Each structure stands twice: as C-alpha cells, then as structure tokens.
Amino acid sequence: MKRYFDPSLAQIRSLLKAARGRPVALVVLFGLSLLNLCSEWPSVIARPAFVDTLNEALPDSFKTARQILFDQYQRHFPRIPTAQPVTIVEIDEETLATVGQWPWPRNRLASLIDAIAALKPLAIGLDIYMPEPDQTSPDKVAGNLPKTAAALAAGLRALPSHEAILARSLRAAPTILGAAALDHAAFATSTDLRSAPILVHGIDPLDHVQRFDFVLASLPELQAAAHGQAMLSVALEQGVVRHIPLIMGLREKLVPSLPIEMLRLATGSSAIDVFADTSGVQAVGVADVLVPTQPEGDIWLHFASIRSTLSRYVSARDILQGTVDPERIRDKLVLVGLTGAGLTDMRTTALGELVPGIEIQAQVIETIFEGRFLRRPTWLKWVECAFIMTFGLLIIWYVPRPHSRFALFIRTLPKGVTALGICLHLLNLLCCFFVFMRFGLLVDAASIFIILSAVMGCFLSPALLRLDEKTRTEAMHAPGREDDNDRTGRAPGP
C-alpha cells in the first residue's frame, strides 16, 4: 500500500512531535507574549524601535480583542447613575423651529446664557466654539449697506456688536468656552488658548499626554470674557469612545478638558492639580476631588446607558420661554450643546449606543462625582504577563509528560480536553468579570485566553496526530479489513 504525504505537512508534524512539542510551545509562548506586550507597551519602559516595527507588521494583534472584551464588561454591567449633577440644555429640533436655524446671532445665544444664569447654576459649559465674527452683528451689517444708507450705517455702528453683548453675558455668568484640538492648521486655528493654571506635582507629564499643535477656539474677545476655556476632544479607537483625556498638551502647555474645568469653576479653585512621576500622570485633582488616571492623563469611562440619563436633558426653548422647573438648573453643572438633526456631533460609546458628544462630557462629570472609576494601572499589565508566563511554563513542563494524569486523560478521553479547556477559560473570564464589577479593574482575559490556548494547542496537535495514526493502524489490522484484502487480492487504497 502506498501513501502520499504533502512534504510541508510532514515537516509540520515532525516539528510538532519534536521533544514532545516543548520547543514549539516555548516559541509560541514567548512570541505571543511579546506581541501582547507591544500592543500595550508600559509607559515606565522606554519604547524600543522594534515595538513600532511589530505594530506596523501586525497591527492590532491583541488590542482589538482587548477592546471588545472591555466593551462586553460594560454592556453586561453598565453604570447605574446614583446622582445627577449635570443638566444638559439642548438646542434641539423644537428650539430651532421656535427660535430659528443655527447658527444663531450671538446676541440670541447671550439671551440663552442670561436665562440659564438667572436660575443659579454652579457653572455653564458651552460645547460650542465661535472662531469667527458674527456676520449679523450691527457693525457687519453696516459695512454691507450702500453709500446711500450712510445714516442707517452710522446708527448701526453706534450699537454694541453681538460679540460685545455675548461677552457681557459670559462675564456675568460662571461660563466656560469649549475648543477643538487639531493636529493640523486650518482656517481660524491658533496655537494658544487662555486657560486656568495647571500645577504639576512631580515630573512634567507633557511627554506622556496627548498633544496637539493647533486649536480651534472662540474669538479672543469671548475668551477674555469667559471664566474658563477647555478642550472638547475625546479619544476614538476604531470609531468608539472608551476613554477621555482630563488634560492634554497644546504645544508646550498643559490644558484641561471641559469636565475638569467645570469642576474647577464650580468649586472656586484657582488651578488644577496634576500629579505625575516618571511613568506619566497618576491623578488629576480639583479642590478636594482627586481623579486617578492612566499615564496619558485620561480615564476609562464607565458608561451609563443613554436610557438612564434622558432625564438630564432640558430644551433650550423651555429655558428661553421660562417654563422649565428652576430646580433642574439650580446648583447644577449645566452643559449647553446642539442635539438638532444634522448639527450634533454623534459618538458611539462602549455600550454600542450612538449619543451626542455633549452626553459623553456629562458622563465624565457624573463619574467623577460618584467616584466610580474604571482603571487599568501599569502594574496590572505586569500581573497579567506574569500570570501568562507562569501558567504557560507550567503547561509546557507538565502536559507533555507521558505518564502524567493529563496524558492519561487525553489517551482515555480525547474529546474531553475540549470541554476541560472551555471550562477553564470560562472560569478565567468569570474571575476577570468579577474583578471588573467589584474593583473596577480592566483585566485582559482575552490575551490570557489567546496565548494559553495557543500554547495548549502545541501539545494537543501532536497528541491528536498520534491518536489518528494509532486509529489508522488499528483499522488496517482489523479482521474485517484483512478479509477484504483476501477476497479482492489487493490492499485497499489510501
């Protein structure tokens, strides 16, 4: 009888059988562990050039699986709001239909700010930036009039500009203007932003935080009138918001995000505190509030479902008409933003929900108030790596032993190995999910599953190959098979 084998398949079989699969398993363990480490390189170690090379050759090798897992943690255990310190005044479809299309003249926006301020909020944050002059301002209209209307033009120029009216409202109320960070220059961008002082305790973290070269901010006249400026940027990973920076870099300057600047203004603090060491930012504080952060100065956001936060929305129309309950504004942190169709900046959260960008800012503030933070500290990555290496080496040492109980189990019940593996990985997942629920720690069960499964597969493959060869040999020498050979006078084909 002749059998024909693919040479490459034969080489793979011999490689897997060599030294009972231990050399291959060691290569798999160390190789995948290195890829896992490169996908989330600890900031405490200088980043070698080969890390970037590996990331370019194998992009998102473990990052995607990790992100999907962390999303699933939240989807099965979303945050349930216990407080509602934020009210969102939305410029919605009803407001636009009543007041007029966007963009509004600045004096109309000033009227909205005055109406909100009359209800005594702690702070008013505008998720709006105004880098260009209002073309409906009296002086701009006067400039477009014909020479025959000189008297009318003179009368218009005597009136205050819309920027002056808005500046007066911004100055009279506890207001903060938002700004958009950009990596490239564009029309009306600048390289600086008027912002509150940031006091660094420890080492300057500028090299660790997300940095930008340009910012799209409101006019200098409006910046000077407001009581604070802040960045509105969020971090996107494959189109999904998972973590939010509390501080960022604008060239050589640290600047705050909107949530932390809102807290500064509400508490009457003169500055924002940043605590950093050689590994990066450790915490960001305002008054007696201290927020633990990732080394890049951001936090993982534990999202609440949009269905549980709809009660925080108030239509700007109701504010302007004076029909809103004052208690919904008094002593609240008020965010003003656009939610009208075609105007709002929609974002996808880790829960898979599409929400207005201003909702994400509100959830950051809410999370800080509740003190319920998700964390993935640097030491957790080292614990995961140590766990993977320890159990991986234990598998490599124990599993190939020919007289071990595991070897006997494989010979006796080959299919039971699959059930055992599934049970162990479910236990791993459940333990990591429990740690998430109990302590808010994001443990990467996905990498543990992928690497240890690959190591285990290096021993199961040769074991199954030996079992297959044994089955074929026994089938060849079975009595019925021999009778068939006698009757036909030839050996059966392959």
Side-chain angles (χ1 to χ4, degrees):
M1 178 183 65
K2 293 183 179 180
R3 290 185 179 272
Y4 298 95
F5 295 98
D6 184 349
S8 59
L9 182 60
Q11 290 177 359
I12 294 173
R13 289 190 177 192
S14 61
L15 185 63
L16 288 172
K17 292 178 182 179
R20 299 186 179 275
R22 283 192 173 105
V24 174
L26 281 170
V27 171
V28 169
L29 175 61
F30 283 96
L32 292 181
S33 296
L34 180 60
L35 281 177
N36 178 34
L37 191 63
C38 289
S39 70
E40 196 179 24
W41 192 262
S43 58
V44 293
I45 301 177
R47 188 181 180 91
F50 75 86
V51 172
D52 295 324
T53 304
L54 277 176
N55 284 336
E56 290 176 4
L58 298 168
D60 297 334
S61 52
F62 283 87
K63 187 176 181 180
T64 299
R66 187 185 304 121
Q67 290 172 342
I68 293 173
L69 174 71
F70 292 165
D71 290 350
Q72 291 302 316
Y73 285 168
Q74 295 208 42
R75 293 180 187 187
H76 287 86
F77 189 68
R79 181 175 57 85
I80 306 299
T82 58
Q84 196 173 92
V86 181
T87 295
I88 294 177
V89 175
E90 56 175 339
I91 301 174
D92 53 5
E93 292 292 335
E94 291 76 11
T95 303
L96 296 175
T98 303
V99 179
Q101 67 181 12
W102 188 265
W104 288 347
R106 302 277 161 77
N107 61 331
R108 191 171 297 166
L109 182 59
S111 298
L112 176 61
I113 293 172
D114 292 341
I116 296 172
L119 300 176
K120 306 299 182 185
L122 293 176
I124 304 172
L126 277 73
D127 190 3
I128 300 167
Y129 39 90
M130 297 160 279
E132 300 174 6
D134 185 353
Q135 296 303 313
T136 66
S137 191
D139 57 326
K140 298 297 181 184
V141 174
N144 291 323
L145 292 176
K147 293 181 179 180
T148 55
L152 177 58
L156 288 172
R157 289 192 179 95
L159 297 173
S161 68
H162 288 176
E163 276 76 29
I165 295 173
L166 178 57
R168 186 165 57 244
S169 297
L170 292 173
R171 192 175 293 109
T175 52
I176 297 169
L177 291 176
L182 298 174
D183 289 318
H184 57 277
F187 182 72
T189 58
S190 61
T191 58
D192 197 9
L193 182 73
R194 295 171 63 102
S195 60
I198 293 182
L199 302 180
V200 177
H201 304 270
I203 295 175
D204 188 354
L206 197 58
D207 291 335
H208 294 276
V209 302
Q210 188 176 11
R211 295 176 70 175
F212 300 91
D213 290 326
F214 302 94
V215 62
L216 187 63
S218 296
L219 295 168
E221 179 182 359
L222 302 179
Q223 289 190 48
H227 295 260
Q229 323 289 324
M231 294 290 200
L232 297 170
S233 301
V234 297
L236 289 177
E237 295 175 318
Q238 297 178 337
V240 178
V241 178
R242 296 183 175 92
H243 44 95
I244 308 293
L246 294 185
I247 57 167
M248 286 163 274
L250 181 59
R251 299 212 169 186
E252 301 303 317
K253 177 182 179 180
L254 289 174
V255 292
S257 66
L258 182 60
I260 205 72
E261 179 67 0
M262 291 278 287
L263 292 176
R264 183 197 68 80
L265 186 58
T267 57
S269 302
S270 59
I272 296 169
D273 296 303
V274 173
F275 300 87
D277 56 22
T278 54
S279 63
V281 182
Q282 299 301 310
V284 176
V286 174
D288 59 349
V289 177
L290 193 64
V291 184
T293 67
Q294 298 298 116
E296 294 78 17
D298 58 347
I299 61 171
W300 287 85
L301 189 55
H302 193 178
F303 283 97
S305 173
I306 186 67
R307 293 186 296 273
S308 65
T309 65
L310 290 176
S311 59
R312 71 160 115 252
Y313 286 82
V314 173
S315 175
R317 180 190 62 178
D318 296 337
I319 297 286
L320 290 170
Q321 294 178 349
T323 58
V324 70
D325 181 1
E327 294 302 317
R328 302 193 66 181
I329 303 296
R330 184 176 292 114
D331 295 332
K332 299 281 188 179
L333 297 172
V334 176
L335 293 171
V336 181
L338 301 163
T339 61
L343 298 176
T344 185
D345 180 22
M346 302 299 289
R347 302 290 187 181
T348 302
T349 71
L351 300 182
E353 298 177 334
L354 196 64
V355 304
I358 198 168
E359 169 67 21
I360 293 174
Q361 307 291 343
Q363 293 219 20
V364 176
I365 297 172
E366 198 171 67
T367 298
I368 294 173
F369 261 78
E370 295 177 357
R372 297 163 59 191
F373 308 109
L374 296 184
R375 295 179 297 133
R376 184 160 173 76
T378 304
W379 62 260
L380 184 57
K381 186 67 180 180
W382 294 119
V383 170
E384 292 168 359
C385 291
F387 179 87
I388 291 171
M389 294 302 298
T390 300
F391 276 81
L393 292 172
L394 184 62
I395 290 171
I396 292 171
W397 169 77
Y398 179 75
V399 170
R401 299 175 65 190
H403 303 297
S404 66
R405 292 182 180 180
F406 189 79
L408 178 62
F409 178 71
I410 292 178
R411 290 194 294 269
T412 306
L413 192 63
K415 294 182 179 179
V417 177
T418 303
L420 178 62
I422 292 173
C423 290
L424 289 175
H425 287 306
L426 281 176
L427 179 62
N428 165 48
L429 182 60
L430 289 174
C431 288
C432 293
F433 185 59
F434 172 77
V435 171
F436 169 79
M437 292 191 300
R438 181 67 179 82
F439 304 104
L441 291 174
L442 294 164
V443 185
D444 185 9
S447 296
I448 297 173
F449 167 78
I450 293 170
I451 297 174
L452 295 185
S453 294
V455 172
M456 195 66 195
C458 294
F459 302 115
L460 290 180
S461 298
L464 293 176
L465 287 173
R466 286 193 295 270
L467 181 64
D468 180 63
E469 291 175 356
K470 181 180 179 181
T471 303
R472 288 175 178 271
T473 302
E474 291 175 351
M476 289 294 300
H477 294 88
R481 190 80 175 198
E482 292 173 357
D483 293 342
D484 290 341
N485 293 347
D486 293 340
R487 284 195 294 271
T488 60
R490 58 185 177 85

